[in-house]
Amino acid sequence: MVKSSSATVGGDAWYAYDGTDSDVFLSSTVCLARNLANFPFPSQLRGTDSERIQSLVFDAFNSLPDGENYQAISVNRLDPLGAKILCEREILEESASEKKSGVIVRTDGKVTCSVNVTDHVRISSFAPGFDFNSPMTLAGTVDRGLQTKLQFAASYDFGYLTSIVDEAGSGIKFCVRMHLPSLTFLGKIPSLAAHYNDSGLSFSASFGSGGADVVGGFGVNVGSLGSFYDLKTANSLSGTEFDQMANIVSVATKFRDMERSAREECKKNMDSSVRNVAFRSVSLARSSVFINLREAIVLVSGAKWGLDTGVLEGVDDTTMRALLYRIQEGHLEYVLKNGNFAFEKDIKNDSQKKIERLRAVIIQEAFENIKVST
């Protein structure tokens, strides 16, 4: 039976497992947008419509064969820290806290569903590395299971009807998160972003904001903090869901090959620069007392680049991926709230400094076994 709770969602995290091509790809996400027939879109709901939809969706999840593995939460019963963690994990939109919304999460986090946010139902499934097949299968299984209990709005001409026109049709969106430090270092990101943003896909920064002239760690011109980027399908209208997946897989594969080629070029022609970024990342992390979030993302990126180029060794890609979630503000607040830590006297009453101190310790522990390759 689906558990109803106001507590923070826990469980084994999908991002703590190994994935395909993890040197370049952090995660793959599949999202299905659906709306219940005979109800207006969430932005137009009136009276008790929100509660009725939430109840219908929660009950439908309860009827799934593995319904006991899902936890259902009304956002207005979710504590602020729990909401913050769900936003950091891209399970919930920040605006959801202002609405009568809900969220459903499988215990391993591989499948989530928001209710009454952008659409009545948004099913998301996640996988580590480069793998759309697994999350597409999981999301599809949930979708078919829900349709035995719910009638989704659809038409013969337009397919599934969604609150955003570009997401109608199949109602499916694909996203892959990539780490592209070599292409970034060679200054190739702006032209690649311009090219692929005109090919039915969206290429954007994963962390931070700004364009390709933003200066990142160690003075490298980047378009994303830490050289992390999201490649997404721009719409769901053209072709079948398999056509849309084939398009992003094709382009993501090109990015993978370009990054690996650029990595070899950097190793061959700019080895000193690569070692400088990698060594400084690890050294700064190890010697810092406090590390803020922006600094942490840059340091993790630099150390991962060193590991992927073979300059450094001792830590795998899975650890580095998980670290990006473990250093987030909400996660650290949760750890502080539920742990027993002895901080220095001068920061024991400063909540932000305690978070930055704990972040430094967590990164240092993760980097403990990193060493220069022999």
Side-chain angles (χ1 to χ4, degrees), residues 257-291:
D257 295 343
M258 287 188 292
E259 171 61 24
R260 288 174 176 172
S261 177
R263 186 187 303 160
E264 291 303 315
E265 181 179 344
C266 290
K267 288 167 59 178
K268 180 179 179 181
N269 300 323
M270 290 168 278
D271 181 62
S272 295
S273 295
V274 174
R275 287 187 290 113
N276 180 59
V277 171
F279 294 170
R280 289 189 66 193
S281 296
V282 175
S283 297
L284 283 172
R286 286 176 171 170
S287 60
S288 295
V289 177
F290 305 112
I291 301 178

Side-chain angles (χ1 to χ4, degrees), residues 179 218 226 274 277-278 281 297-307 312:
H179 185 226
F218 311 118
V274 174
V277 171
S281 296
I297 292 171
V298 172
L299 295 178
V300 171
S301 174
K304 178 169 165 50
W305 194 29
L307 292 162
L312 302 173

Side-chain angles (χ1 to χ4, degrees), residues 9-55:
V9 175
D12 295 332
W14 60 267
Y15 52 77
Y17 295 91
D18 193 19
T20 303
D21 294 332
S22 290
D23 59 319
V24 176
F25 300 109
L26 277 76
S27 62
S28 303
T29 305
V30 173
C31 180
L32 297 177
R34 302 286 187 260
N35 287 279
L36 273 63
N38 304 318
F39 285 96
F41 292 132
S43 61
Q44 302 299 317
L45 292 175
R46 296 291 185 270
T48 61
D49 283 349
S50 295
E51 289 86 350
R52 289 175 61 197
I53 291 171
Q54 190 174 127
S55 178

Side-chain angles (χ1 to χ4, degrees), residues 76-297:
N76 59 9
R77 295 179 59 203
L78 188 64
D79 63 84
L81 179 55
K84 189 173 186 178
I85 293 173
L86 292 178
C87 289
E88 289 175 352
R89 297 190 183 184
E90 300 174 84
I91 294 171
L92 195 65
E93 297 177 20
E94 291 185 11
S95 61
S97 60
E98 303 170 2
K99 306 175 183 178
K100 294 180 180 178
S101 308
V103 63
I104 302 162
V105 183
R106 204 170 83 165
T107 50
D108 59 4
K110 287 185 178 181
V111 181
T112 69
C113 178
S114 64
V115 183
N116 290 335
V117 184
T118 305
D119 292 283
H120 296 151
V121 174
R122 282 210 167 208
I123 305 163
S124 297
S125 185
F126 309 87
F130 190 30
D131 173 18
F132 285 123
N133 290 322
S134 297
M136 190 170 178
T137 298
L138 286 173
T141 299
V142 172
D143 181 35
R144 290 188 295 274
L146 294 181
Q147 292 197 46
T148 64
K149 296 291 183 179
L150 303 172
Q151 182 182 355
F152 291 140
S155 76
Y156 182 81
D157 293 324
F158 298 103
Y160 290 106
L161 303 182
T162 58
S163 62
I164 300 173
V165 175
D166 287 347
E167 296 183 359
S170 68
I172 196 168
K173 299 292 285 291
F174 298 92
C175 176
V176 62
R177 179 158 292 178
M178 305 178 291
H179 185 226
L180 307 174
S182 306
L183 289 171
T184 298
F185 199 81
L186 295 177
K188 296 185 178 182
I189 292 298
S191 60
L192 290 172
H195 175 73
Y196 287 107
N197 275 331
D198 292 332
S199 65
L201 297 171
S202 170
F203 182 83
S204 60
S206 302
F207 305 106
S209 61
D213 58 343
V214 175
V215 177
F218 311 118
V220 180
N221 290 324
V222 302
S224 173
L225 189 66
S227 301
F228 296 102
Y229 301 91
D230 290 342
L231 182 68
K232 304 177 181 179
T233 48
N235 66 73
S236 307
L237 293 169
S238 302
T240 67
E241 57 189 28
F242 296 101
D243 295 330
Q244 294 159 15
M245 183 173 71
N247 183 34
I248 191 172
V249 166
S250 175
V251 174
T253 299
K254 292 177 182 177
F255 269 103
R256 178 198 64 195
D257 295 343
M258 287 188 292
E259 171 61 24
R260 288 174 176 172
S261 177
R263 186 187 303 160
E264 291 303 315
E265 181 179 344
C266 290
K267 288 167 59 178
K268 180 179 179 181
N269 300 323
M270 290 168 278
D271 181 62
S272 295
S273 295
V274 174
R275 287 187 290 113
N276 180 59
V277 171
F279 294 170
R280 289 189 66 193
S281 296
V282 175
S283 297
L284 283 172
R286 286 176 171 170
S287 60
S288 295
V289 177
F290 305 112
I291 301 178
N292 65 42
L293 181 57
R294 292 180 64 85
E295 292 171 333
I297 292 171

